[in-house]
Amino acid sequence: MFNAVTCERRKFGSLGFNIAYDFTAGDFAICVSQLNMFLLEYAPQVPLKVLHYTAGDINYGGRVTDDWDRRCINTILHGFYNSDVLKEGHEFSESGTYHQLPHEALYKDYL
């Protein structure tokens, strides 16, 4: 969802980011790959600081040159990479539309 939010913000021009950044599907793909790699490497713990750093400062943040935009990217990312998202029933939106699925959810439940 972080990728969707950052790409959506681009549509708002200077209200979304001070500078127009070209976030790509490659940024998303490398984040997914790193997420998988670090979750397997650090299991059973979730390395939130490592994940936040790689996505916020390297993959997406590496394109960001404006300090306020970097702060914005990291603030958005914190909404997705924090310990609360690991709790069952966590809601990503106030409306509850976007929420954490139960631990026993199958792959098809995520689609």
Side-chain angles (χ1 to χ4, degrees):
M1 283 197 301
F2 170 73
N3 181 69
V5 171
T6 55
C7 289
E8 186 71 18
R9 285 186 70 90
R10 289 187 314 182
K11 294 180 181 179
F12 295 96
S14 61
L15 293 176
F17 292 112
N18 290 324
I19 299 171
Y21 301 103
D22 188 27
F23 299 119
T24 66
D27 298 320
F28 175 69
I30 191 67
C31 282
V32 169
S33 175
Q34 289 173 336
L35 175 65
N36 183 50
M37 179 182 71
F38 288 127
L39 288 177
L40 292 174
E41 184 176 328
Y42 285 83
Q45 305 217 339
V46 178
L48 292 169
K49 288 182 180 181
V50 172
L51 294 171
H52 195 281
Y53 176 73
T54 57
D57 292 327
I58 298 174
N59 301 332
Y60 285 87
R63 296 182 184 278
V64 177
T65 55
D66 182 82
D67 289 338
W68 288 106
D69 289 344
R70 182 178 312 281
R71 184 176 181 180
C72 181
I73 285 283
N74 282 309
T75 299
I76 294 169
L77 186 60
H78 182 72
F80 299 101
Y81 281 175
N82 68 69
S83 59
D84 290 339
V85 302
L86 302 174
K87 298 174 185 168
E88 193 165 339
H90 175 75
E91 295 181 347
F92 292 99
S93 62
E94 289 181 22
S95 67
T97 302
Y98 302 103
H99 59 277
Q100 180 71 285
L101 292 176
H103 294 295
E104 61 274 355
L106 301 174
Y107 175 75
K108 66 178 183 168
D109 298 325
Y110 286 87
L111 302 176

